[in-house]
Structures are given as C-alpha cells and as structure tokens.
Amino acid sequence: GVVVKEDGLVGALPAVFDQRIPDEQMKEFTVIVAHEDRDAEELEADFLGRDERASLAYLRPKAEQSKGSSGGDAAKSQAPRKWKPIKFEEVAVQIGQPVYSDGILPEMANYKPYFMESAVAAKLRGETPQVLVNGGLASGGAPVFNADGKALGMVAWQPGQPVFLNNEQQGGNPLASIL
C-alpha cells in the first residue's frame, strides 16, 4: 500500500486481506517503512476497513514506536513522523501514453525500490473505471504516474498475479490494469 494522508493513512489493495474475515475481526497489522540507509521499520497498525467501491482497504500506524526488521527495538523518534502522502489526481490518459510505476521488492530483497514502464492499451468503463496497460507495472498496490509525475492510480491485482511481486515466471500477466 501507499501513504495517502499526512496522518499516515495507508491505502492498500483489498486482495492483500482475506475477504472471508469481517473488518471488526481484522487485528495485529504491521506497516513496513523501508529505508535506504538503515533497517526497515515495523510499525504496528490498525485496520480501519475496506472501501469496495474504491477497491481499497485502509490501515493507520499506531503511536511512534518501531522495531527494525531484525526485530530489535529502534530509538523512539522525538518529533512526530512527517508522512509524505501521494496525492492522486484525476488526469485523462490517452491510448499509447506512457505510464510508470514504482514498487518495493520483498524482504528477501531488502525492500529495495524498483521502477517499471508501460503504455496505456485501453480505458475500461464500469463501477470502478480501470486503465489497461501493455507492459509491466510494479506489484499490485504500487502507485502509477504519468510523464509529468502526477499520480493516476494504483496497480490493480489480477487473477493469477502474485499479490506482492509481479513476477511473470509465477503467473504474472504482462497486461495489467490501473485502478
């Protein structure tokens, strides 16, 4: 997921959460904050619910106590964390227009960021409009940007696609969609 508000609210794909479990029973979540220069932080988080129309689920990190990914306690920060939310914009896209996404690799790859490039193949109408792209995008839930750097949406999860890492050898689809 990605931070969508300055208070740390995280929007994530509902596919990451077991749909059989009611929202009120969703407990014990962790938000991982990756860093280039030190171990990733693990922040306890509250599950706030799912928005089926927007195809998103929401989490918010609890108070500022973190653990490094190795499990040891990290120093508590003195000042409140300053989250940098992604501001999504309603921007028209055209067939053939390049779009870009960035993602975070899993823990076994030290949460390194990666970049993917694609092109708009079709615009789909429906209750949740989607944009179909030809080429690879980052994993489901990754933000998608246009050439001007405007956030257009998030990579949607596709059946047969691993939720956390878009790997064609594991059944990934080169045609992905943007929510």
Side-chain angles (χ1 to χ4, degrees):
V2 296
V3 176
V4 295
K5 289 185 76 177
E6 290 179 1
D7 65 359
L9 182 70
V10 174
L13 294 180
V16 176
F17 308 97
D18 191 334
Q19 299 294 320
R20 298 171 296 180
I21 301 173
D23 287 0
E24 57 275 359
Q25 293 179 11
M26 301 290 272
K27 308 277 186 221
E28 298 182 26
F29 286 91
T30 302
V31 171
I32 297 172
V33 180
H35 299 282
E36 282 288 320
D37 58 346
R38 63 183 194 270
D39 286 343
E41 292 176 83
E42 296 179 7
L43 306 175
E44 292 180 14
D46 291 318
F47 182 81
L48 302 178
R50 299 172 244 234
D51 181 345
E52 292 178 17
R53 185 161 173 87
S55 294
L56 289 171
Y58 295 98
L59 299 159
R60 180 173 291 118
K62 294 180 180 180
E64 285 298 315
Q65 184 174 358
S66 66
K67 296 179 187 175
S69 61
S70 61
D73 287 335
K76 291 184 183 180
S77 63
Q78 300 298 336
R81 181 181 304 271
K82 291 186 179 182
W83 295 99
K84 295 180 184 174
I86 293 178
K87 306 275 190 213
F88 292 96
E89 300 182 39
E90 297 253 350
V91 178
V93 293
Q94 303 300 318
I95 305 299
Q97 174 183 343
V99 290
Y100 311 94
S101 64
D102 59 354
I104 301 287
L105 294 171
E107 182 178 18
M108 63 185 249
N110 296 317
Y111 301 114
K112 293 293 183 187
Y114 68 104
F115 172 82
M116 300 292 288
E117 183 176 355
S118 192
V120 174
K123 297 186 282 187
L124 308 174
R125 297 184 309 196
E127 199 169 309
T128 303
Q130 296 185 31
V131 175
L132 187 68
V133 299
N134 186 9
L137 288 175
S139 59
V144 178
F145 302 92
N146 66 11
D148 296 329
K150 294 181 178 175
L152 307 174
M154 295 171 71
V155 178
W157 177 81
Q158 300 292 317
Q161 175 187 19
V163 175
F164 295 109
L165 184 60
N166 190 2
N167 181 341
E168 291 187 32
Q169 293 177 349
Q170 295 178 348
N173 186 341
L175 290 175
S177 62
I178 304 168
L179 290 175

